[in-house]
């Protein structure tokens, strides 16, 4: 079974919305506006590209990333990697042609089936709603979190407010940085 990894920039109060400056959110760009940049705090982002074998995202994140990431040197390893977009509304004609193989999945059952295939880890970028659904369905195996020392208040959250049984996590890697960022890597305990 393939490992499904959720990776996120997250505020201390759980917000993941618009970390890179996406329009429409009052605190857009919060990852670089209020916290000093320290390259060592972002080492995990490069490691993710080297270790992942596929990328999974929701429609909204795909529509935000696909016009930009294919031509960005920072994301070069993702270009040739197979990509999967979970959407009930996206059509084949909506996919960009310069970002490698992309497959549309129509349900969480299709994500579960993808996890059963041969291959390495699948990384989930952005995709707040998808992350919530994947977590609630018990499909996420690991979390890579860069926790920013900010309280953003309103905004899309990584975790749902669904009333559900406790889900235990095991801390497998962590580090705190001089700028207040914390790297927290958790495995989901089954």
């Amino acid at each position: 079974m393939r490992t499904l990894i959720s990776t996120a920039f997250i505020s201390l109060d759980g917000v993941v919305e618009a970390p890179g400056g996406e329009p429409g959110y009052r605190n857009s760009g919060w990852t670089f506006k209020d916290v000093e940049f320290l390259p060592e705090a972002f080492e995990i982002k490069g490691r993710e590209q080297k270790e992942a074998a596929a990328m999974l995202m929701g429609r909204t994140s795909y529509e935000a990333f696909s016009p930009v990431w294919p031509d960005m040197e920072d994301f070069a390893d993702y270009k040739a990697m197979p990509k999967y977009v979970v959407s009930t509304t996206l059509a084949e004609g909506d996919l960009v042609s310069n970002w490698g193989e992309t497959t549309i999945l129509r349900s969480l059952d299709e994500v579960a089936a993808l996890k059963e295939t041969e291959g390495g880890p699948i990384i989930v970028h952005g995709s707040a709603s998808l992350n919530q659904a994947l977590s609630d369905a018990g499909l996420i195996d690991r979390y890579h979190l860069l926790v920013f020392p900010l309280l953003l208040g309103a905004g899309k959250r990584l975790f749902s407010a669904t009333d559900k049984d406790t889900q235990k996590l095991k801390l497998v890697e962590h580090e705190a940085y001089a700028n207040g960022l914390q790297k927290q890597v958790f495995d989901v305990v089954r």
Side-chain angles (χ1 to χ4, degrees):
M1 181 181 305
R2 299 173 80 168
T3 302
L4 188 61
I5 301 168
S6 171
T7 182
F9 294 140
I10 186 168
S11 68
L12 190 58
D13 58 348
V15 174
V16 294
E17 186 169 355
E22 299 81 359
Y25 176 59
R26 77 176 286 209
N27 293 316
S28 184
W30 50 271
T31 58
F32 58 85
K33 285 183 181 174
D34 299 311
V35 179
E36 174 192 2
F37 177 76
L38 291 179
E40 60 269 24
F42 295 88
E43 170 276 334
I44 194 168
K45 305 316 285 177
R47 187 169 18 128
E48 288 171 348
Q49 284 189 66
K50 299 295 184 202
E51 294 175 356
M55 186 166 44
L56 179 73
M57 66 204 98
R59 179 194 50 81
T60 301
S61 291
Y62 177 80
E63 289 175 343
F65 299 158
S66 64
V68 181
W69 282 25
D71 298 321
M72 289 183 70
E73 187 61 35
D74 287 346
F75 302 113
D77 290 327
Y78 286 135
K79 189 164 186 171
M81 187 180 295
K83 284 161 277 306
Y84 299 89
V85 183
V86 181
S87 173
T88 58
T89 59
L90 199 66
E92 291 292 329
D94 297 327
L95 300 175
V96 298
S97 60
N98 64 333
W99 204 20
E101 174 191 345
T102 304
T103 303
I104 299 171
L105 304 178
R106 299 294 182 193
S107 68
L108 292 182
D109 288 339
E110 290 187 29
V111 175
L114 174 64
K115 283 186 63 175
E116 296 292 332
T117 63
E118 294 294 319
I122 304 165
I123 193 110
V124 182
H125 280 282
S127 309
S129 298
L130 177 60
N131 264 290
Q132 291 176 8
L134 292 168
S135 178
D136 288 350
L139 293 173
I140 295 176
D141 301 298
R142 175 174 275 197
Y143 290 95
H144 288 184
L145 305 177
L146 277 181
V147 183
F148 284 70
L150 302 170
L151 300 175
L152 298 175
K156 293 179 184 175
R157 309 248 177 228
L158 182 62
F159 302 103
S160 76
T162 302
D163 186 13
K164 60 183 177 184
D165 292 338
T166 300
Q167 187 173 50
K168 187 173 179 185
L169 306 174
K170 178 182 179 188
L171 184 66
V172 295
E173 184 181 343
H174 64 91
E175 193 161 348
Y177 302 95
N179 61 358
L181 258 70
Q182 295 177 43
K183 172 178 61 181
Q184 299 176 1
V185 177
F186 293 99
D187 280 343
V188 175
V189 177
R190 304 240 189 260

